[in-house]
């Protein structure tokens, strides 16, 4: 009989403690916020808007203005949640004027900007190894990774020998 009473006492005590822990866990809910629509904002503006409501930006992918977020705008998440920004517009770079520059310098500069450089050599009277032209033309804006062709002077053209028969 003593064992049964002891078991019943601990069983009821376990139910009471378990119920108390359950109620405490469900009564202490973290604050939640609704993710605002930051589409079209610059990165620093979007970060500030998200920061003001208690969210933080974990990563950004792409360049330009915000295209969308993960989790998506309108979803409800816990405060202090990390948000990922996906940017929609590629960053454009202006083609610099490198006409007259040495081939090696031009290739190095254009490669560092992020362009793919194609060198076309052509014999011409004048200084060897200098850039004579660029396509697309100087001043045009391109995305990183796009191709630029540079026309380089490869030296004096060989004279054509015409023989008579």
């Amino acid at each position: 009989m003593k064992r049964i009473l002891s078991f019943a006492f601990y069983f009821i005590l376990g139910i009471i403690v378990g119920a108390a822990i359950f109620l405490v866990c469900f009564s202490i809910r973290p604050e939640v916020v609704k993710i605002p629509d930051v589409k079209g904002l610059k990165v620093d503006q979007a970060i500030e808007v998200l920061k003001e409501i208690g969210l933080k930006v974990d990563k950004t992918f792409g360049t330009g203005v915000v295209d969308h977020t993960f989790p998506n705008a309108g979803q409800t998440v816990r405060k202090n949640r990390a948000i990922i920004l996906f940017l929609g517009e590629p960053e454009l770079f202006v083609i610099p004027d490198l006409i007259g520059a040495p081939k090696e310098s031009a290739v190095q500069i254009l490669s560092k900007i992020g362009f793919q450089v194609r060198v076309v050599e052509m014999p011409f009277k004048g200084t060897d190894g200098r850039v004579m032209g660029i396509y697309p033309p100087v001043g045009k804006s391109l995305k990183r990774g796009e191709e630029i062709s540079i026309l380089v002077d490869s030296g004096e053209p060989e004279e054509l020998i015409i023989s008579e028969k």
Side-chain angles (χ1 to χ4, degrees):
M1 183 70 173
K2 197 175 183 180
R3 283 180 137 174
I4 293 174
L5 287 175
S6 178
F7 173 76
F9 173 76
Y10 286 112
F11 182 74
I12 292 171
L13 183 64
I15 290 175
I16 293 170
V17 170
I21 291 172
F22 177 80
L23 289 174
V24 168
C25 287
F26 278 93
S27 66
I28 302 174
R29 291 188 178 196
E31 278 188 73
V32 293
V33 293
K34 187 175 181 180
I35 299 173
D37 187 6
V38 292
K39 183 175 183 169
L41 296 179
K42 293 181 180 179
V43 175
D44 54 343
Q45 293 171 325
I47 290 172
E48 190 60 37
V49 168
L50 294 169
K51 190 177 176 183
E52 285 176 8
I53 64 166
L55 299 172
K56 56 186 175 186
V57 174
D58 184 30
K59 297 177 185 169
T60 58
F61 293 100
T63 55
V65 296
V66 177
D67 183 57
H68 64 281
T69 61
F70 179 81
N72 296 324
Q75 287 186 298
T76 304
V77 295
R78 280 188 255 159
K79 223 171 186 180
N80 295 319
R81 168 84 188 255
I83 305 298
I84 299 172
L85 298 178
F86 292 91
L87 311 177
E89 295 178 6
E91 192 172 357
L92 297 176
F93 296 92
V94 176
I95 298 172
D97 185 0
L98 298 171
I99 295 175
K103 174 178 95 172
E104 295 78 20
S105 298
V107 169
Q108 185 179 19
I109 290 168
L110 294 171
S111 296
K112 280 193 178 194
I113 292 173
F115 297 127
Q116 297 294 318
V117 182
R118 187 177 81 155
V119 178
V120 178
E121 295 190 357
M122 178 177 177
F124 191 77
K125 289 185 179 183
T127 310
D128 296 347
R130 299 281 178 180
V131 176
M132 298 185 332
I134 299 176
Y135 184 81
V138 171
K140 182 170 168 118
S141 298
L142 295 177
K143 298 176 206 166
R144 182 170 283 162
E146 289 192 297
E147 184 178 271
I148 293 181
S149 297
I150 59 173
L151 181 61
V152 177
D153 177 9
S154 65
E156 294 288 324
E158 295 179 19
E159 291 190 32
L160 293 175
I161 300 173
I162 301 173
S163 61
E164 292 183 27
K165 292 183 181 180

PDB file of all heavy atoms in Angstrom, residues 2 19 42 70-71 73 102 114 117 135 159:
ATOM      1  N   LYS A   2       1.973   1.195   0.755  1.00  0.00           N
ATOM      2  CA  LYS A   2       2.902   2.326   0.828  1.00  0.00           C
ATOM      3  C   LYS A   2       3.500   2.615  -0.543  1.00  0.00           C
ATOM      4  O   LYS A   2       3.669   3.772  -0.925  1.00  0.00           O
ATOM      5  CB  LYS A   2       3.985   1.994   1.845  1.00  0.00           C
ATOM      6  CG  LYS A   2       4.753   3.153   2.306  1.00  0.00           C
ATOM      7  CD  LYS A   2       5.698   2.712   3.397  1.00  0.00           C
ATOM      8  CE  LYS A   2       6.436   3.899   3.941  1.00  0.00           C
ATOM      9  NZ  LYS A   2       7.352   3.586   4.989  1.00  0.00           N
ATOM     10  N   ALA A  19       2.874  20.083 -16.271  1.00  0.00           N
ATOM     11  CA  ALA A  19       1.873  21.058 -16.710  1.00  0.00           C
ATOM     12  C   ALA A  19       2.382  22.478 -16.488  1.00  0.00           C
ATOM     13  O   ALA A  19       2.176  23.363 -17.329  1.00  0.00           O
ATOM     14  CB  ALA A  19       0.552  20.831 -15.975  1.00  0.00           C
ATOM     15  N   LYS A  42      17.831  50.658 -51.971  1.00  0.00           N
ATOM     16  CA  LYS A  42      19.262  50.379 -51.965  1.00  0.00           C
ATOM     17  C   LYS A  42      19.557  49.513 -50.752  1.00  0.00           C
ATOM     18  O   LYS A  42      18.793  49.508 -49.778  1.00  0.00           O
ATOM     19  CB  LYS A  42      20.067  51.674 -51.897  1.00  0.00           C
ATOM     20  CG  LYS A  42      19.943  52.522 -53.143  1.00  0.00           C
ATOM     21  CD  LYS A  42      20.775  53.780 -53.020  1.00  0.00           C
ATOM     22  CE  LYS A  42      20.643  54.624 -54.272  1.00  0.00           C
ATOM     23  NZ  LYS A  42      21.416  55.864 -54.164  1.00  0.00           N
ATOM     24  N   PHE A  70      14.508  36.735 -48.345  1.00  0.00           N
ATOM     25  CA  PHE A  70      14.156  35.415 -47.823  1.00  0.00           C
ATOM     26  C   PHE A  70      14.298  35.478 -46.317  1.00  0.00           C
ATOM     27  O   PHE A  70      15.367  35.829 -45.847  1.00  0.00           O
ATOM     28  CB  PHE A  70      15.045  34.299 -48.369  1.00  0.00           C
ATOM     29  CG  PHE A  70      14.658  32.965 -47.781  1.00  0.00           C
ATOM     30  CD1 PHE A  70      13.588  32.264 -48.290  1.00  0.00           C
ATOM     31  CD2 PHE A  70      15.332  32.450 -46.683  1.00  0.00           C
ATOM     32  CE1 PHE A  70      13.213  31.054 -47.726  1.00  0.00           C
ATOM     33  CE2 PHE A  70      14.962  31.247 -46.117  1.00  0.00           C
ATOM     34  CZ  PHE A  70      13.901  30.550 -46.647  1.00  0.00           C
ATOM     35  N   PRO A  71      13.275  35.169 -45.579  1.00  0.00           N
ATOM     36  CA  PRO A  71      11.901  34.881 -45.947  1.00  0.00           C
ATOM     37  C   PRO A  71      11.269  36.064 -46.692  1.00  0.00           C
ATOM     38  O   PRO A  71      11.735  37.187 -46.613  1.00  0.00           O
ATOM     39  CB  PRO A  71      11.200  34.659 -44.610  1.00  0.00           C
ATOM     40  CG  PRO A  71      12.288  34.376 -43.628  1.00  0.00           C
ATOM     41  CD  PRO A  71      13.486  35.063 -44.141  1.00  0.00           C
ATOM     42  N   ALA A  73       8.691  39.025 -48.120  1.00  0.00           N
ATOM     43  CA  ALA A  73       7.968  40.147 -47.531  1.00  0.00           C
ATOM     44  C   ALA A  73       6.554  39.697 -47.179  1.00  0.00           C
ATOM     45  O   ALA A  73       5.927  38.938 -47.913  1.00  0.00           O
ATOM     46  CB  ALA A  73       7.927  41.313 -48.508  1.00  0.00           C
ATOM     47  N   PRO A 102      49.797  50.428 -73.406  1.00  0.00           N
ATOM     48  CA  PRO A 102      50.405  49.136 -73.747  1.00  0.00           C
ATOM     49  C   PRO A 102      49.396  48.001 -73.554  1.00  0.00           C
ATOM     50  O   PRO A 102      48.546  48.054 -72.668  1.00  0.00           O
ATOM     51  CB  PRO A 102      51.558  49.007 -72.753  1.00  0.00           C
ATOM     52  CG  PRO A 102      51.821  50.386 -72.259  1.00  0.00           C
ATOM     53  CD  PRO A 102      50.521  51.117 -72.344  1.00  0.00           C
ATOM     54  N   GLY A 114      36.808  43.329 -64.152  1.00  0.00           N
ATOM     55  CA  GLY A 114      35.939  42.157 -64.206  1.00  0.00           C
ATOM     56  C   GLY A 114      35.480  41.792 -65.598  1.00  0.00           C
ATOM     57  O   GLY A 114      34.628  40.930 -65.769  1.00  0.00           O
ATOM     58  N   VAL A 117      38.599  39.787 -71.516  1.00  0.00           N
ATOM     59  CA  VAL A 117      39.328  40.557 -72.525  1.00  0.00           C
ATOM     60  C   VAL A 117      39.750  39.652 -73.672  1.00  0.00           C
ATOM     61  O   VAL A 117      40.361  38.607 -73.457  1.00  0.00           O
ATOM     62  CB  VAL A 117      40.570  41.244 -71.910  1.00  0.00           C
ATOM     63  CG1 VAL A 117      41.295  42.075 -72.958  1.00  0.00           C
ATOM     64  CG2 VAL A 117      40.169  42.108 -70.726  1.00  0.00           C
ATOM     65  N   TYR A 135      36.302  47.653 -78.415  1.00  0.00           N
ATOM     66  CA  TYR A 135      34.900  47.411 -78.722  1.00  0.00           C
ATOM     67  C   TYR A 135      34.294  46.568 -77.621  1.00  0.00           C
ATOM     68  O   TYR A 135      34.886  45.565 -77.245  1.00  0.00           O
ATOM     69  CB  TYR A 135      34.716  46.688 -80.060  1.00  0.00           C
ATOM     70  CG  TYR A 135      33.251  46.539 -80.382  1.00  0.00           C
ATOM     71  CD1 TYR A 135      32.549  47.597 -80.939  1.00  0.00           C
ATOM     72  CD2 TYR A 135      32.576  45.373 -80.067  1.00  0.00           C
ATOM     73  CE1 TYR A 135      31.186  47.489 -81.193  1.00  0.00           C
ATOM     74  CE2 TYR A 135      31.220  45.259 -80.321  1.00  0.00           C
ATOM     75  CZ  TYR A 135      30.536  46.309 -80.882  1.00  0.00           C
ATOM     76  OH  TYR A 135      29.192  46.207 -81.123  1.00  0.00           O
ATOM     77  N   GLU A 159      55.479  43.848 -96.314  1.00  0.00           N
ATOM     78  CA  GLU A 159      55.181  44.305 -97.666  1.00  0.00           C
ATOM     79  C   GLU A 159      54.826  43.116 -98.538  1.00  0.00           C
ATOM     80  O   GLU A 159      55.421  42.033 -98.424  1.00  0.00           O
ATOM     81  CB  GLU A 159      56.376  45.040 -98.259  1.00  0.00           C
ATOM     82  CG  GLU A 159      56.608  46.358 -97.572  1.00  0.00           C
ATOM     83  CD  GLU A 159      57.632  47.195 -98.328  1.00  0.00           C
ATOM     84  OE1 GLU A 159      57.711  47.098 -99.572  1.00  0.00           O
ATOM     85  OE2 GLU A 159      58.363  47.900 -97.636  1.00  0.00           O
TER      86      GLU A 159
END
